[in-house]
Amino acid sequence: MQAYRFAFDLTPSQERSVLSHAGAGRKAYNWALARVKAVLDQRAAERSYGLTDALTPAMGWSLPALRRAWNAAKEQVAPWWRECSKEAFNTGLDALARGLKNWSDSRAGKRAGRKVGFPRFKAKHRTVPTVRFTTGTIRVEPDRKHVVLPRLGRLKLHESARKPARRLEAGTARIMSATVRRHGGRWFVAFTVEVDRTVRRSASGPVVGVDVGIKNLAVLSTGELVANPRHLNAAQVRLRALGRALSRKAGPDRRARKDPSKRWLRAKSRLGRAHARVANLRRDGLHKLTTRLVRGHATVMVEDLNVAGMLANRRLARHIADAGFAELRRQLAYKTSWNGGRLIVADRWYPSSKTCSACGVKAKLALAERIYTCAACGLVLDRDLNAARNLAALTAAEVSTAGSGPVAGRGAIRKTRSGGQEAVKRLSGTAPAGKTGTVLPQGRTAA
Ligand SMILES: [Zn+2]
């Protein structure tokens, strides 16, 4: 499965049509959530009176159950339902079914990660307008500049959709769904596509070790330094000015039931667009870097960083989030598997910075020392380059689980063994007291 995302150039009336579909989804979501809540509350109240057998019947939470309930009620709840595609209502009901499942799984301890709360009602001003089509006519037009979606019709793309179009024409891809959503003041369509992929290369060939950090986004074992563009830093002056301008305008006031002023809305959208630009620049740079790494090397070695832990450090969080370590790793994982290569993730406690890449002797290295000097063999090398070379030199014997498969987002995954200390897979929330929070592997990112 692969996603292809394209920006739209919508006409005002097309935009209204998409927004009305998004609103229809929200309506179905809110209606069904109110229903589920009412039934749950009613049953809780009945139980509190001591009733046990004659309870109000429970309501199903699965998507088919919610859909049945909606179809039975839509004539009363939304007499205008014929104006929108049924997929719009389905989008909302599907979101609710997932939300309720996540909540109940989380409560039952069947779901890893942070606790998931009970779904909240969706408000127009707080929700990203979106609609997903899974059935009906979804196609890219032969000119590759237009797509056809059910009900919405023929919509113009901002750029050519030649990449998925080539695959679709060759019969090596099939569109599973199309999601239209607004992001940073623009409309996008994302196709979820099932792709038959021919693996390009076997897993033998050049190896590269990649040491990620803040000073340099990546230091490769080949000696190449990839600068950290720090897009957020560069945009900071403008973002502050826009934020200040927004705060001086009359925003919404819930207590006074006052709507925001037109100027406030415009300022808010300007700020949103500026943030979206930062995100776009970051994503673009990361994609170019990971594609280059994966195309040029059969095996990519990185170290396992506790990004969630590092984000808990408030002096580092902004810089780490801006660098996009987690996204870099995620992209490497799927791109290596597409190319028939391998991504090897070194253990979180593998001392890549403290080991000499020439003779293998371990040394003490303070956080601030940028140059690695070996007392045993006299090697003098940049600290990060030394770490990258160590990663590249990891042999198959040291790697217990070589994997390019999907990389789990949380918890430490044991990939390599390194003398004595072992990473143990840990579920969140089970860390011993005083051991939670920031883990800086070798402190290298604290530059
Ligand atoms: Zn040495």
Side-chain angles (χ1 to χ4, degrees):
M1 289 289 195
Q2 185 181 346
Y4 289 95
R5 198 175 77 133
F6 300 100
F8 269 137
D9 284 334
L10 296 183
T11 64
S13 86
Q14 286 169 342
E15 191 175 349
R16 278 196 298 278
S17 178
V18 178
L19 279 172
S20 99
H21 275 76
R26 209 166 53 230
K27 175 78 190 176
Y29 175 100
N30 285 338
W31 173 84
L33 177 57
R35 241 334 247 275
V36 168
K37 251 185 146 153
V39 170
L40 281 177
D41 291 347
Q42 179 66 28
R43 283 168 65 87
E46 285 166 359
R47 255 185 245 111
S48 75
Y49 298 149
L51 285 176
T52 45
D53 35 85
L55 290 175
T56 305
M59 191 178 161
W61 289 345
S62 63
L63 177 56
L66 291 178
R67 210 148 45 185
R68 269 195 303 278
W70 169 257
N71 283 332
K74 66 186 175 188
E75 201 64 66
Q76 271 79 49
V77 183
W80 43 263
W81 62 268
R82 281 177 195 83
E83 289 169 25
C84 292
S85 164
K86 68 178 185 341
E87 297 278 357
F89 304 106
N90 195 52
T91 306
L93 296 174
D94 182 44
L96 180 63
R98 285 172 201 238
L100 287 166
K101 184 177 186 308
N102 289 343
W103 165 72
S104 75
D105 282 357
S106 177
R107 214 169 54 144
K110 280 190 277 181
R111 191 177 194 279
R114 210 188 295 169
K115 269 248 172 295
V116 176
F118 193 77
R120 297 204 303 161
F121 288 104
K122 284 189 193 293
K124 190 176 177 182
H125 64 270
R126 249 204 334 237
T127 323
V128 174
T130 179
V131 54
R132 193 179 84 226
F133 298 94
T134 52
T135 54
T137 318
I138 305 171
R139 66 162 190 269
V140 179
E141 292 276 69
D143 69 355
R144 298 172 177 182
K145 283 287 189 68
H146 293 82
V147 297
V148 174
L149 295 176
R151 281 303 176 100
L152 301 175
R154 193 163 177 270
L155 307 170
K156 188 178 173 298
L157 294 178
H158 187 68
E159 57 197 322
S160 166
R162 63 182 182 280
K163 288 221 165 165
R166 276 184 207 136
R167 284 193 174 277
L168 291 166
E169 283 159 19
T172 58
R174 202 156 64 97
I175 295 179
M176 308 304 285
S177 69
T179 307
V180 180
R181 72 200 304 258
R182 194 172 63 192
H183 176 76
R186 276 195 113 136
W187 288 94
F188 293 91
V189 59
F191 295 109
T192 305
V193 179
E194 199 181 53
V195 177
D196 294 330
R197 197 172 282 282
T198 44
V199 171
R200 286 184 191 162
R201 199 195 314 106
S202 66
S204 62
V207 178
V208 67
V210 182
D211 180 84
V212 298
I214 287 176
K215 196 159 158 278
N216 287 300
L217 179 58
V219 176
L220 311 186
S221 56
T222 54
E224 187 190 334
L225 306 177
V226 180
N228 184 357
R230 301 208 179 201
H231 295 297
L232 187 61
N233 270 19
Q236 208 53 257
V237 172
R238 184 168 153 76
L239 288 172
R240 281 206 195 98
L242 289 172
R244 223 163 26 229
L246 178 67
S247 77
R248 291 195 186 115
K249 293 177 174 62
D253 190 337
R254 281 178 81 181
R255 262 187 297 178
R257 300 255 171 116
K258 210 162 62 75
D259 283 339
S261 71
K262 284 280 189 314
R263 282 162 189 247
W264 185 89
L265 288 173
R266 277 204 298 270
K268 185 151 165 51
S269 101
R270 271 198 291 273
L271 180 62
R273 283 204 304 272
H275 274 293
R277 183 179 151 76
V278 172
N280 290 343
L281 288 169
R282 182 186 302 132
R283 188 172 40 237
D284 181 52
L286 286 176
H287 270 300
K288 281 173 179 160
L289 171 64
T290 52
T291 297
R292 189 162 62 88
L293 284 174
V294 166
R295 291 247 168 100
H297 306 91
T299 306
V300 182
M301 305 268 203
V302 293
E303 69 190 318
D304 186 20
L305 293 178
N306 177 14
V307 176
M310 292 194 293
L311 286 176
N313 178 330
R314 28 171 166 158
R315 301 175 78 179
L316 281 176
R318 180 153 47 89
H319 303 291
I320 286 165
D322 187 27
F325 293 163
E327 179 64 11
L328 186 85
R329 160 97 173 266
R330 189 187 73 81
Q331 290 181 7
L332 282 175
Y334 75 77
K335 287 184 185 178
T336 43
S337 77
W338 282 357
N339 282 279
R342 283 191 307 170
L343 173 70
I344 292 179
V345 181
D347 179 276
R348 190 168 292 176
W349 285 276
Y350 172 69
S352 60
S353 279
K354 300 185 180 179
T355 310
C356 172
S357 60
C359 67
V361 168
K362 287 194 191 75
K364 279 213 169 85
L365 197 64
L367 251 93
E369 282 177 61
R370 303 304 311 165
I371 302 290
Y372 183 90
T373 315
C374 181
C377 71
L379 175 83
V380 179
L381 198 62
D382 176 77
R383 173 196 187 108
D384 298 333
L385 181 54
N386 182 52
R389 285 198 184 163
N390 277 323
L391 287 170
L394 275 177
T395 55
E398 288 167 293
V399 179
S400 57
T401 324
S404 58
V407 181
R410 37 178 108 81
I413 318 147
R414 192 174 72 211
K415 297 280 167 163
T416 56
R417 281 159 189 280
S418 63
Q421 208 169 14
E422 256 185 30
V424 180
K425 177 154 184 166
R426 204 174 68 194
L427 294 174
S428 66
T430 59
K435 291 254 172 112
T436 53
T438 317
V439 180
L440 285 175
Q442 293 93 52
R444 236 168 328 90
T445 43

